[in-house]
Amino acid sequence: MSVTDPPYVLAVVGAGPRGVGVLERLGANAAELLGGRRLVVHLVDPFPAGAGRVWRFEQSPLLRMNSMPEDVTVFTDDTMRIDGPIRPGPSLIEWARLVRSGGLDTGIDDSLRVELEALQSDHFPTRRLQSAYLAWFHRKVRAELPAGIQVVEHRTRAVRLEDGEPQSLWLADRAEPLAVDAVLFTVGHLDAEPDEREAALADFAARHDLAYYPAGYTADVDYSAIEPGETVLVRGFGLAFVDLMLLLTEGRGGRFEEQACGGLKYHPSGAEPVVHVGSRRGVPYHAKIGYRLRGKPLRLPKFFDAHAIERLCAAPGRIDFRRDVWPLISKEIAWSYYSELFTAHPERVRMDFDVFADTFADTAPGELDALVARAVPAPDDRLDLDHLDRPMAGKDFGTAEEYGKELRDYVEADLSRRADPEYSADLGAFTALLSVMGQLPALVQTGRLDAVSQLSDLDGWFLGFFSYFASGPPPRRLEELLALQEAGLVSFLGSDMRVSADEERRVFVASGASFPGETEAQTLVEARLPEPSVTRASDGLLRQLHADGALGEESVLDPVTGERLLAGRIHTRVSDGRMLDGEGRPHPRRFALGPHTSARSAGAFTRPRTNALPFRQNDVVAREILKLIP
């Protein structure tokens, strides 16, 4: 191609941190793969490029990240195992320090100055400050692109895509389509229309003049119709609930006060409803850990690595997640946990670490209890994954008040443990879980997982456990929860929460397994993100592609019934991110990245120095796109 030839045209649908991350990789790989050719990149997103929807500046300043700034980066580093070049840059805390010292001209909003000046590595920044970091990253990426790459931004939605040479991409604000050679979807979590169960509850609410809020991104839902003093049922005790809790209390004028004896006291404004919350576990997500590892550094993965996955696949028959995979994962978690315990707190064990490590490696996953009992005298120092997963299982309480007291004790103990470096073994378990998440796409790609097991165990139980243990809120959020319970504005419905639509009483009725009794309400909120579903996607473009057969919904074949079960995610080839059509055929010039694709990747940014999977995926896809340019 000469300079007079038309450029190759790429559309990136979704210009948040993932889309801009791929743009960065396009620029980084251009010297090797672009040569003297030209590339035009159209970034399409109704929200600001860089921050995107979730991290946009225009949201409540009460909403914070669930990560500390030392644990957030958008840059590759020398731990990365990628084919493209490493382009290091500052983490969020390093960026904040550069801004404070005058080393960067960011044009940061004045409303963030106080937070920026006070920010420390172990704080939890507002999402608005993260928005400023991502906006700076976007500007930096654009400024450093080589001359052969041009970027055009469109603050609008992509609404239709038709195949051809080139493809035609229609935007909401243009009469004529963009002519594009390749398309990359970086769509994040998929919004979805209500499923059958939610639709039935919405219909019940409409018939009886009640209020029902289906699953959705909390910051985008209007809860203003919820009246002061109203009883509200909330199903879900994770991060979506934490956002909801703040918006309905402090967001309505209430105030938290630090107490001299510790903890918080809440001063109501009078505009708050009374929230009754429950979930399957009946407890909130664990607080984020506030300390660093203190023991001998580990190289992970060790027991759940590529070789282990190869061995699983070499055995005949389908792979069952609980039976075949979870034992390896649990051993990986235990290895990292006990390695930290032995090397950071040797006074609490009674076996030489080398002896323990050799015996541990030779012991089957299900037979580790005897070794641990000999080596770790205190039960509180032993890792019990079953209890961690379901801490209220088997516990019965006579009243809601008794359960509330138990849950307060549980949350206070969690806050204490997650702040005490004497329990740094918990952080060891956390790092192992991060390693495991990086290995799972390779397992899924083999296609050997049993269909039902993949949907119920991997996509259901395990990913839920990961979020509950490793992706919880800042500790202050749990302190605020306790203060709100003390103020009588939050109460707990227990584990195995059930909700029914009572036609006779014309109300929603909630109950649980932890104590007898029911709670009635005229408002029910689903505090969670929607489950992935291409079929029910709110995005019109994805629905159109699926209806045309051009976009497949990931599915698995039930070997017993022969039925194809939908997994909900955008069907992609995990190895290179190419989108698969309804027949499972890869499109040569369409790609998709994100948590709701077959790759099941984590967020668009990650911890520094972790060989992060999203960055590896970004590099692979960027190189694939550049190789398409004639």
Side-chain angles (χ1 to χ4, degrees):
M1 178 183 289
S2 71
V3 293
T4 60
D5 290 326
Y8 195 82
V9 180
L10 166 69
V12 179
V13 180
R18 194 62 182 266
V20 176
V22 174
L23 181 64
E24 187 274 335
R25 289 288 84 200
L26 289 169
N29 284 284
E32 176 189 351
L33 298 176
L34 187 60
R37 296 162 296 182
R38 293 185 295 148
L39 172 66
V40 172
V41 181
H42 292 273
L43 293 179
V44 183
D45 199 316
F47 295 97
R53 171 190 174 190
V54 172
W55 305 103
R56 65 190 187 271
F57 183 81
E58 297 300 329
Q59 61 181 299
S60 171
L62 295 175
L63 301 180
R64 292 183 176 271
M65 301 184 70
N66 299 307
S67 298
M68 293 179 283
E70 67 178 7
D71 292 334
V72 174
T73 188
V74 287
F75 292 97
T76 54
D77 56 48
D78 59 12
T79 66
M80 299 299 306
R81 296 193 292 272
I82 55 178
D83 292 331
I86 302 300
R87 294 283 182 85
S91 66
L92 176 53
I93 188 61
E94 291 166 342
W95 170 84
R97 290 167 181 159
L98 286 169
V99 175
R100 287 199 297 250
S101 67
L104 288 177
D105 180 14
T106 66
I108 193 167
D109 189 274
D110 287 342
S111 65
L112 297 175
R113 281 289 169 187
V114 173
E115 179 186 3
L116 182 76
E117 293 297 330
L119 188 70
Q120 300 297 319
S121 60
D122 59 351
H123 288 181
F124 290 88
T126 63
R127 295 180 196 169
R128 286 156 57 99
L129 188 64
Q130 171 71 353
S131 182
Y133 174 56
L134 294 173
W136 168 80
F137 173 61
H138 166 243
R139 293 193 299 271
K140 175 180 172 62
V141 168
R142 288 205 55 174
E144 295 178 355
L145 288 173
I149 300 181
Q150 176 190 353
V151 175
V152 182
E153 296 185 8
H154 305 270
R155 285 288 297 273
T156 187
R157 294 187 183 278
V159 295
R160 186 170 183 81
L161 176 63
E162 291 186 357
D163 213 351
E165 296 285 351
Q167 302 176 72
S168 297
L169 179 67
W170 275 266
L171 307 183
D173 62 352
R174 288 170 57 105
E176 296 299 320
L178 297 175
V180 299
D181 297 295
V183 182
L184 166 64
F185 292 85
T186 56
V187 292
H189 289 268
L190 299 180
D191 288 335
E193 299 299 326
D195 60 20
E196 185 176 344
R197 182 190 65 172
E198 291 175 324
L201 290 172
D203 176 69
F204 172 77
R207 287 188 287 107
H208 297 300
D209 196 25
L210 307 176
Y212 176 66
Y213 296 85
Y217 180 54
T218 305
D220 286 343
V221 180
D222 181 6
Y223 298 105
S224 60
I226 296 178
E227 297 287 342
E230 179 183 355
T231 298
V232 177
L233 301 179
V234 177
R235 179 158 49 187
F237 219 159
L239 298 181
F241 166 75
V242 170
D243 286 352
L244 176 70
M245 176 186 80
L246 265 292
L247 293 175
L248 293 180
T249 55
E250 192 175 9
R252 292 191 170 194
R255 179 173 57 87
F256 291 100
E257 177 189 9
E258 300 275 356
Q259 298 191 93
C261 58
L264 300 173
K265 179 179 177 61
Y266 183 71
H267 299 275
S269 68
E272 302 90 345
V274 179
V275 171
H276 298 259
V277 58
S279 66
R280 184 175 67 88
R281 290 186 181 87
V283 298
Y285 281 12
H286 284 284
K288 273 291 191 296
I289 294 173
Y291 42 74
R292 295 176 176 84
L293 291 172
R294 300 170 63 183
K296 179 182 177 181
L298 290 179
R299 180 182 290 274
L300 298 175
K302 183 175 179 64
F303 296 102
F304 185 63
D305 57 8
H307 297 298
I309 293 172
E310 289 175 6
R311 287 193 297 272
L312 282 175
C313 294
R318 306 292 293 178
I319 298 171
D320 182 271
F321 186 86
R322 288 269 195 171
R323 182 193 66 210
D324 303 318
V325 182
W326 172 242
L328 296 173
I329 292 176
S330 65
K331 188 169 184 177
E332 185 82 18
I333 297 169
W335 166 248
S336 188
Y337 175 94
Y338 287 115
S339 294
E340 173 67 13
L341 179 68
F342 271 74
T343 60
H345 312 286
E347 72 282 0
R348 286 162 37 201
V349 298
R350 54 188 177 200
M351 184 180 290
D352 180 79
F353 178 59
D354 290 337
V355 174
F356 176 85
D358 288 343
T359 310
F360 185 98
D362 293 335
T363 303
E367 300 173 2
L368 290 169
D369 288 350
L371 170 64
V372 170
R374 294 198 309 272
V376 183
D380 195 41
D381 280 333
R382 299 172 189 167
L383 181 66
D384 186 339
L385 290 172
D386 289 336
H387 180 69
L388 275 174
D389 183 34
R390 296 299 298 270
M392 297 297 177
K395 296 183 178 181
D396 296 317
F397 303 88
T399 64
E401 289 73 20
E402 290 178 15
Y403 182 79
K405 182 180 184 302
E406 176 76 5
L407 194 139
R408 284 192 70 89
D409 292 343
Y410 169 86
V411 172
E412 288 170 351
D414 182 59
L415 286 168
S416 175
R417 185 172 180 120
R418 294 261 163 152
D420 187 351
E422 288 299 301
Y423 294 100
S424 64
D426 289 352
L427 185 54
F430 170 84
T431 58
L433 273 169
L434 293 182
S435 172
V436 165
M437 289 296 289
Q439 301 301 310
L440 286 175
L443 174 64
V444 172
Q445 185 181 7
T446 67
R448 293 287 309 283
L449 269 175
D450 175 78
V452 175
S453 180
Q454 178 173 321
L455 295 181
S456 64
D457 295 330
L458 171 57
D459 290 342
W461 166 74
F462 176 74
L463 294 184
F465 174 74
F466 173 85
S467 296
Y468 159 71
F469 183 80
S471 295
R476 181 180 169 91
R477 293 309 190 214
L478 296 187
E479 294 173 2
E480 291 165 345
L481 173 69
L482 297 180
L484 290 169
Q485 190 227 13
E486 187 70 23
L489 294 173
V490 173
S491 66
F492 310 118
L493 294 169
S495 61
D496 295 316
M497 178 187 179
R498 300 179 296 274
V499 176
S500 61
D502 193 303
E503 291 283 357
E504 183 176 337
R505 287 181 278 181
R506 300 187 175 188
V507 292
F508 297 109
V509 180
S511 60
S514 300
F515 54 86
E518 297 178 336
T519 303
E520 297 181 2
Q522 296 185 351
T523 298
L524 170 62
V525 179
E526 305 281 8
R528 58 181 173 83
L529 290 172
E531 296 297 321
S533 175
V534 169
T535 306
R536 294 184 291 105
S538 300
D539 184 88
L541 172 57
L542 294 179
R543 285 205 313 272
Q544 171 250 313
L545 290 172
H546 181 257
D548 293 346
L551 168 60
E553 181 169 4
E554 184 192 29
S555 62
V556 288
L557 186 68
D558 189 327
V560 177
T561 66
E563 180 184 3
R564 188 153 289 281
L565 307 174
L566 295 177
R569 290 169 167 78
I570 295 173
H571 202 187
T572 58
R573 192 161 65 186
V574 175
S575 60
D576 60 10
R578 278 186 165 83
M579 288 177 60
L580 306 179
D581 66 13
E583 301 298 322
R585 297 170 299 204
H587 194 291
R589 293 171 289 111
R590 289 181 184 171
F591 303 82
L593 289 172
H596 282 179
T597 66
S598 299
R600 292 164 172 77
S601 64
F605 42 82
T606 186
R607 288 185 163 219
R609 307 196 61 74
T610 57
N611 187 32
L613 176 62
F615 296 170
R616 285 184 273 141
Q617 294 170 334
N618 291 353
D619 193 68
V620 167
V621 169
R623 292 175 66 85
E624 289 293 319
I625 291 170
L626 289 170
K627 291 173 185 177
L628 291 174
I629 302 175

